[in-house]
Amino acid sequence: MICSNCKKQVQHSEQLLTESGLNPEKYRDFIFYEGEGCLDCNGTGFRGRTAIQELLDLSDRIREMIIDRKPTSEIKRAAHSGGMTFLREHALDKVFAGITTLKEINKVTFIE
Ligand SMILES: [Zn+2]
């Protein structure tokens, strides 16, 4: 989590947005947050941790797809339309809420 003592507003380059799988058109003017680094966080800009998770609800439809050995991409698509939030999306929610940074989640989740 971003250190609350040195948290500051930032905007990201089109390159970083693109590398992060975000549409630069949409997020060019978006206010992201980062920690500048201070005594409280030992200069890291981070203090404390938060969890990100994804949970696959084994509905009958998903269960059948697994039994039928359907491709992972197909199962993921079905799970998503059934309301599943993927790990990356959950992490992005925390970035948009100013809880953590885009660069940090790029280290710990895959960009889809
Ligand atoms: Zn700090």
Side-chain angles (χ1 to χ4, degrees):
M1 293 191 289
I2 300 168
C3 170
S4 55
N5 192 49
C6 60
K7 187 174 177 175
K8 64 168 172 98
Q9 297 189 340
V10 290
Q11 280 172 307
H12 289 316
S13 65
E14 297 210 1
Q15 191 189 347
L16 177 62
L17 292 170
T18 307
E19 283 169 4
S20 306
L22 296 176
N23 180 356
E25 301 277 295
K26 193 173 167 193
Y27 291 100
R28 190 186 298 134
D29 299 323
F30 190 87
I31 304 292
F32 291 89
Y33 289 89
E34 281 180 357
E36 226 167 1
C38 68
L39 278 176
D40 277 10
C41 60
N42 289 318
T44 61
F46 293 98
R47 207 159 60 144
R49 289 171 181 273
T50 183
I52 47 169
Q53 72 266 337
E54 64 181 2
L55 184 69
L56 175 60
D57 186 11
L58 276 184
S59 62
D60 288 345
R61 184 177 172 212
I62 300 292
R63 208 181 300 265
E64 274 168 32
M65 290 179 85
I66 293 169
I67 291 165
D68 293 345
R69 297 189 166 277
K70 296 282 188 202
T72 312
S73 58
E74 229 174 275
I75 297 173
K76 279 182 95 171
R77 213 165 25 241
H80 201 240
S81 68
M84 179 182 178
T85 305
F86 295 144
L87 197 65
R88 177 74 182 175
E89 293 174 315
H90 191 206
L92 279 170
D93 285 345
K94 296 209 169 188
V95 170
F96 298 145
I99 296 166
T100 191
T101 69
L102 188 57
K103 289 167 196 160
E104 183 64 15
I105 68 154
N106 285 351
K107 287 188 220 159
V108 295
T109 60
F110 290 106
I111 297 153
E112 318 229 1

